[in-house]
Amino acid sequence: MRLFVGDDWAEDHHDVELMDERGRVLARGRLPEGVAGMARLHELIGEQLGEGADDAEVVIGTETDRGPWVGALVAAGYTVYGVNPLQASRYRERHGVSGAKSDRGDAHMLTDMVRTDSHQLRAVAGDSPGAEAVKVVARTHKTLIWERSRQVQRLRHQLREYFPAALEAFDDLDAPDALELLGKAPDPAKAAKLTRAQISAALQRARRRDIPGKTTVILAALRSAQLGQPPAVTAAYAVTVRSLVAVITVLNEQVKTLQGQVEADFGRHPDAEIYRSQPGLGPVLGARVLGEFGDDPHRYISGKARKNYAGTSPITRASGKRKIVAARFIRNNRLTDALMAQAFAALSASPGARALYDAERACGTGHNPALRKLASRLVGILHGCLKTRTLYDEATAWPQREKTPQSDLAA
């Protein structure tokens, strides 16, 4: 017996529907989030299965693949499909074009979807707790880096409005010396009064090189003639700059702290050595790739499947005599970002990777498409290493190649 369950989740409740193999609705309900709701779901399933529960398969569809609720469903032995919201939206349109939508209706749609189309869906991966931990800290670390970049851009915008000399004095606004000096002197008048000793001390604490030369450049920029704002406006901008400096300083500290945690969690994972052996992958970038791919050995049936998930393989749109090959834009952007960074780093770490990139560029391929093709090749190499449990070997990964890059695309 197979029992199908649709679970439309919200922040504090779940609308569920149970259906048999013939499409007959057996039960519906709204369950609270948490232990009580999970217990009630088990009761509903048990009531329908009866004495045949041990031999039955329970298939559940829900629009998420993570969280305590999904973890509890997988732990209970149910087959859980994390349905992409875009897939769910398209399936909904198959049964009605009015645009009507409700939580109860979505639960019914998810139930029917896993009943009829489960062979087209991907079951929630059985990643280990270690891989999940790496994913959590690696994602948070990258998110904080992105947030720091946003705050630095805000700081740059503020300085351009009233204190452009600061942009000439400091190349990196998130550097410790720039943050320290801007915190002490956030307006042109105070900055012009900074002494050579104060600036040199800040540069020394930031472990800069050529401190005398850099001090001279900073002093000259801060004391140069410049256009300004009225005193009241300048004071207002200075207050905002002090706040942004404080935020960026805290983000710098937390990024450094989380980097240590990322490296520690990644180093404890059994696959870490294989990832570290790949060209262009260090502990942080390797942790991001491992966390996004997961470590379920049965998730990717082939290197092609792994490339498709990574978004590095192209998609083909063919109709009649028209055929277009384009890059994938619906993908895991965090994973694609990490793989493109790996491909760029591999250019100086692997002669084979450099040769493939140069061959593509010689054929007129742009930088990003060439880098994406290299990333796709590296994903295939990684898949082979993980499948055979072997470390990366340059000679094995890049055998004698033809001069045309098409042979690499077919590999």
Side-chain angles (χ1 to χ4, degrees):
M1 179 181 177
R2 300 185 78 198
L3 184 67
F4 302 93
V5 181
D7 180 355
D8 182 67
W9 67 275
E11 185 174 341
D12 59 351
H13 68 269
H14 296 256
D15 285 273
V16 300
E17 178 176 296
L18 281 65
M19 185 182 293
D20 63 15
E21 294 177 279
R22 294 176 296 174
R24 184 165 57 97
V25 176
L26 304 175
R28 290 191 179 100
R30 171 166 288 190
L31 312 179
E33 172 67 32
V35 176
M38 183 59 62
R40 179 54 185 154
L41 178 60
H42 292 328
E43 290 177 8
L44 288 174
I45 293 173
E47 290 171 0
Q48 300 302 324
L49 295 179
E51 296 180 357
D54 294 338
D55 300 324
E57 180 184 6
V58 178
V59 182
I60 300 179
T62 183
E63 290 184 272
T64 183
D65 61 353
R66 57 187 179 272
W69 184 274
V70 173
L73 294 176
V74 174
Y78 304 144
T79 302
V80 183
Y81 291 96
V83 180
N84 187 291
L86 184 60
Q87 288 178 299
S89 176
R90 296 293 185 267
Y91 190 87
R92 188 185 301 113
E93 293 173 357
R94 287 170 52 183
H95 298 274
V97 295
S98 67
K101 185 181 183 300
S102 67
D103 293 343
R104 180 174 174 175
D106 284 352
H108 175 77
M109 176 269 298
L110 289 168
T111 310
D112 201 50
M113 189 175 186
V114 294
R115 182 180 70 87
T116 61
D117 291 86
S118 59
H119 61 289
Q120 302 285 358
L121 303 174
R122 184 194 298 271
V124 172
D127 294 332
S128 69
E132 288 290 338
V134 170
K135 181 178 181 178
V136 169
V137 294
R139 278 194 169 191
T140 305
H141 178 252
K142 184 61 176 179
T143 299
L144 289 184
I145 292 175
W146 286 335
E147 181 60 31
R148 179 177 61 186
S149 297
R150 282 193 288 268
Q151 298 298 334
V152 168
Q153 290 303 317
R154 293 189 180 106
L155 176 60
R156 183 178 300 278
H157 174 76
Q158 297 286 72
L159 292 172
R160 188 172 60 246
E161 293 296 319
Y162 83 107
F163 190 9
L167 300 179
E168 298 178 11
F170 307 115
D171 295 330
D172 301 320
L173 292 178
D174 59 348
D177 53 314
L179 294 173
E180 179 182 342
L181 294 174
L182 284 174
K184 288 181 178 178
D187 60 74
K190 292 181 179 178
K193 295 179 181 178
L194 288 173
T195 65
R196 176 174 290 273
Q198 288 176 312
I199 296 175
S200 298
L203 292 173
Q204 187 173 4
R205 282 189 287 271
R207 298 182 179 181
R208 294 286 191 175
R209 296 180 180 179
D210 188 22
I211 293 178
K214 285 184 171 61
T215 301
T216 301
V217 171
I218 293 173
L219 277 174
L222 295 180
R223 294 176 180 178
S224 62
Q226 57 186 299
L227 298 176
Q229 296 275 13
V233 178
T234 298
Y237 273 119
V239 171
T240 63
V241 163
R242 269 205 176 99
S243 298
L244 289 171
V245 165
V247 170
I248 296 170
T249 300
V250 172
L251 285 172
N252 278 341
E253 295 171 356
Q254 294 307 311
V255 166
K256 184 177 181 180
T257 300
L258 266 181
Q259 180 175 333
Q261 189 63 48
V262 168
E263 294 175 355
D265 287 353
F266 175 66
R268 288 191 290 266
H269 194 278
D271 294 342
E273 188 177 4
I274 295 177
Y275 276 87
R276 285 290 301 272
S277 70
Q278 306 298 310
L281 286 186
V284 174
L285 206 55
R288 291 177 189 163
V289 176
L290 168 62
E292 299 303 329
F293 271 137
D295 62 354
D296 184 350
H298 307 295
R299 183 173 186 178
Y300 308 102
I301 60 175
S302 64
K304 175 66 173 176
R306 190 181 288 269
K307 293 177 184 180
N308 290 346
Y309 179 76
T312 56
S313 61
I315 58 174
T316 302
R317 296 188 179 97
S319 179
K321 296 182 179 180
R322 189 169 182 236
K323 183 178 180 181
I324 298 175
V325 179
R328 292 176 184 261
F329 292 101
I330 299 177
R331 62 198 182 192
N332 183 332
N333 290 327
R334 287 178 179 268
L335 177 57
T336 303
D337 176 78
L339 292 172
M340 292 292 279
Q342 179 202 359
F344 185 77
L347 294 178
S348 58
S350 166
R354 184 80 226 189
L356 172 59
Y357 174 83
D358 289 343
E360 290 292 339
R361 295 288 281 155
C363 290
T365 306
H367 170 70
N368 282 335
L371 212 58
R372 187 165 54 247
K373 290 180 181 180
L374 174 57
S376 185
R377 174 67 174 167
L378 292 173
V379 170
I381 294 171
L382 172 64
H383 181 80
C385 291
L386 291 171
K387 184 177 180 180
T388 58
R389 309 304 301 172
T390 56
L391 301 181
Y392 173 84
D393 178 74
E394 182 75 16
T396 303
W398 306 96
Q400 187 64 33
R401 301 172 55 250
E402 297 179 1
K403 293 185 177 181
T404 56
Q406 283 76 12
S407 60
D408 295 288
L409 299 179

